[in-house]
Amino acid sequence: MSPDKIIVTIIGVAAIGATYWFFLLKKDQVVAAGNSVEVKVEGGYSPTTIKIAKHKPTTLVFLRTDKNDCLEEVVIPEFKVRQYLPVNQKVSIAVTPTKAGEFPFSCGMGMYHGKIVVQ
Ligand SMILES: [Cu+2]
């Protein structure tokens, strides 16, 4: 291999590594909720995983700062929630999980995902 090809290969591998690192870190973002937990809605959900305790009333406070229409609704099937999220306005959703498990939530079109882990 010529030196320029080696450099291109190294940069390529580094870019792939950085991408994996970025997404893995994003995926591993877990927050244990107290009585409430704030979820930022900006190009997805942050945190993506929220841990809450069984039988504990918990308020999920969604704050959407992303003008993308894709994120204007949040859907949590387990709690029968389909909620419109106005931009730059906090929306509180109270849930009291009655069973343990992992319950996904997503935007109205199912393109962005997060999950609620009940323990
Ligand atoms: Cu969407």
mmCIF file of all heavy atoms in Angstrom, residues 22 63-64:
data_model
loop_
_atom_site.group_PDB
_atom_site.id
_atom_site.type_symbol
_atom_site.label_atom_id
_atom_site.label_comp_id
_atom_site.label_asym_id
_atom_site.label_seq_id
_atom_site.Cartn_x
_atom_site.Cartn_y
_atom_site.Cartn_z
ATOM 1 N N PHE A 22 -19.754 6.836 19.575
ATOM 2 C CA PHE A 22 -20.797 7.842 19.762
ATOM 3 C C PHE A 22 -22.156 7.181 20.001
ATOM 4 O O PHE A 22 -22.847 7.487 20.952
ATOM 5 C CB PHE A 22 -20.847 8.735 18.516
ATOM 6 C CG PHE A 22 -21.905 9.801 18.569
ATOM 7 C CD1 PHE A 22 -21.748 10.902 19.394
ATOM 8 C CD2 PHE A 22 -23.045 9.696 17.799
ATOM 9 C CE1 PHE A 22 -22.718 11.879 19.450
ATOM 10 C CE2 PHE A 22 -24.024 10.666 17.852
ATOM 11 C CZ PHE A 22 -23.853 11.758 18.671
ATOM 12 N N LEU A 63 -39.351 17.777 27.355
ATOM 13 C CA LEU A 63 -39.097 19.133 26.849
ATOM 14 C C LEU A 63 -38.545 18.998 25.437
ATOM 15 O O LEU A 63 -37.422 18.550 25.218
ATOM 16 C CB LEU A 63 -38.093 19.879 27.735
ATOM 17 C CG LEU A 63 -37.714 21.280 27.237
ATOM 18 C CD1 LEU A 63 -38.937 22.190 27.145
ATOM 19 C CD2 LEU A 63 -36.657 21.906 28.127
ATOM 20 N N ARG A 64 -39.377 19.379 24.479
ATOM 21 C CA ARG A 64 -38.979 19.279 23.080
ATOM 22 C C ARG A 64 -38.410 20.619 22.617
ATOM 23 O O ARG A 64 -39.083 21.647 22.694
ATOM 24 C CB ARG A 64 -40.193 18.913 22.232
ATOM 25 C CG ARG A 64 -39.952 18.979 20.735
ATOM 26 C CD ARG A 64 -41.272 18.705 19.998
ATOM 27 N NE ARG A 64 -41.167 19.024 18.587
ATOM 28 C CZ ARG A 64 -42.146 19.597 17.872
ATOM 29 N NH1 ARG A 64 -43.295 19.893 18.447
ATOM 30 N NH2 ARG A 64 -41.979 19.859 16.602
#
